[in-house]
Amino acid sequence: MSADSDSQTIAGRLAEVRDDIAAAAKSAGRDPESVKLVAVSKTHPAEAVEEAIAAGQRVFGENRVQEAQSKFPDLKERYPDIELHIIGPLQSNKVKDAVAIADCIQSVDRAKIAKAIAKEMEEQGRTLKLLIQVNTGEEPQKAGIPPAEVAEFVEMCRAELGLEIAGLMCIPPLDEEPAMHFALLEKLAGQLDLPELSMGMSGDYEKAVQFGATYVRVGTAIFGARDYT
Ligand SMILES: *Cc1c(COP(=O)(O)O)cnc(C)c1O
C-alpha cells in the first residue's frame, strides 16, 4: 500500500478527503478545483500541521486566535504560502491579533466585530478575506447573523465600514439534516451575489459540495479525533 492510500497517516487521510471532494464535485457537475479544502488543525500540534503541509495542504483553519498564535507565526515563516483561516467566534480583544496573523476570517458574526476588523485592517495595512457566519438554524446559543438579517448586515459592512465581503459560512445544528442549511446558505449567497460558501465538516463535506460549497472545513477526517483533556 502506498503512503497516499494509508488511512493511518495524515497524508493518507488527506488524499482520501481530496478524492471524496473531487468525486462529489464531479457528480454535481462542478469543477473539483472550485472547492477549497480548509484543514482544521485545532487541538493538534504544529507537527501535525507540518505533516499536512508536506502532503501538499496549504489552507488551515483554527477556531481560537490564541491557539493559532502558538503555532502559525513560526509555520508561516517557514512556509510563506500557507493560509490561515479563523473559523471560530472572535472576541473584540482578539481582533488585533487575528488580523495580524490570519488571511481570512470566516466567522464575522456581529457589527461590533466587523467594525473592529475594519479598524485593525486599516491600522495594520492588511486586507483579509471576510466571510459572514450565518446562524441558519437560528439557534440561540450559536454565533451568527440570522438569515433574515444577512442582507442588511452585508450592506452595512460595505457601506458603513468599506469592507468587502467574500461570502457566507454556516455550522448547521448538530441534530438536523444539514442539507436544508446548506441549501439556505447557497440561496442567500446567490441572492447577495457572494462568491464564497463555507460549509461542510468531516461528517458532511461531500453533501456540502453538492450544494455549492467553495470551502469545506475538515478536521477530524484529516487529523483524527480531538483530545480536549
Ligand atoms: C472544529 C470545526 C470544524 C471541523 O470539524 P470536524 O468535524 O472535525 O471536521 C469545522 N468548522 C468549525 C467552525 C469548527 O469549529
Side-chain angles (χ1 to χ4, degrees):
M1 197 160 35
S2 80
D4 273 3
S5 59
D6 182 354
S7 57
Q8 302 304 310
T9 67
I10 287 172
R13 289 189 297 254
L14 254 176
E16 289 175 359
V17 170
R18 287 194 193 115
D19 284 352
D20 290 347
I21 291 171
K26 277 201 184 127
S27 77
R30 300 184 56 200
D31 176 1
E33 300 280 312
S34 67
V35 186
K36 296 160 293 242
L37 173 60
V38 181
V40 179
S41 50
K42 67 185 183 210
T43 77
H44 297 285
E47 293 73 44
V49 176
E50 283 202 79
E51 268 187 72
I53 292 171
Q57 181 63 27
R58 287 297 176 268
V59 185
F60 294 89
E62 287 280 345
N63 64 352
R64 293 177 59 238
V65 175
Q66 211 168 344
E67 185 181 347
Q69 279 180 306
S70 75
K71 299 179 222 173
F72 279 88
D74 176 56
L75 288 166
K76 282 190 134 191
E77 204 170 296
R78 286 187 291 137
Y79 308 97
D81 62 334
I82 62 173
E83 237 179 72
L84 174 65
H85 291 216
I86 297 294
I87 59 173
L90 269 177
Q91 286 156 343
S92 304
N93 63 356
K94 292 286 190 288
V95 168
K96 184 176 184 167
D97 292 336
V99 167
I101 195 181
D103 302 283
C104 172
I105 297 174
Q106 296 203 1
S107 43
V108 180
D109 62 356
R110 54 200 194 277
K112 191 179 169 194
I113 290 298
K115 278 179 194 144
I117 290 170
K119 176 171 163 278
E120 279 302 330
M121 292 202 318
E122 171 88 33
E123 276 177 17
Q124 299 183 31
R126 284 178 56 77
T127 305
L128 277 69
K129 189 173 229 183
L130 302 174
L131 274 62
I132 289 169
Q133 183 171 348
V134 182
N135 189 354
T136 56
E138 306 196 50
E139 297 170 278
Q141 80 285 8
K142 194 169 275 174
I145 306 288
E149 296 168 23
V150 172
E152 193 186 343
F153 188 77
V154 170
E155 184 50 30
M156 185 281 291
C157 287
R158 284 176 179 154
E160 286 179 35
L161 305 176
L163 292 175
E164 187 178 330
I165 301 299
L168 305 178
M169 176 271 228
C170 77
I171 309 170
L174 276 176
D175 55 352
E176 282 180 29
E177 167 55 46
M180 59 186 273
H181 297 276
F182 297 159
L184 173 59
L185 202 70
E186 182 184 34
K187 185 174 137 214
L188 284 170
Q191 286 168 350
L192 300 170
D193 223 3
L194 298 171
E196 304 285 12
L197 266 180
S198 175
M199 53 193 198
M201 320 204 307
S202 289
D204 52 22
Y205 61 88
E206 289 159 288
K207 186 164 280 175
V209 169
Q210 234 180 299
F211 283 90
T214 61
Y215 285 113
V216 291
R217 310 177 308 267
V218 180
T220 310
I222 295 169
F223 294 107
R226 286 182 287 275
D227 182 359
Y228 285 102
T229 57

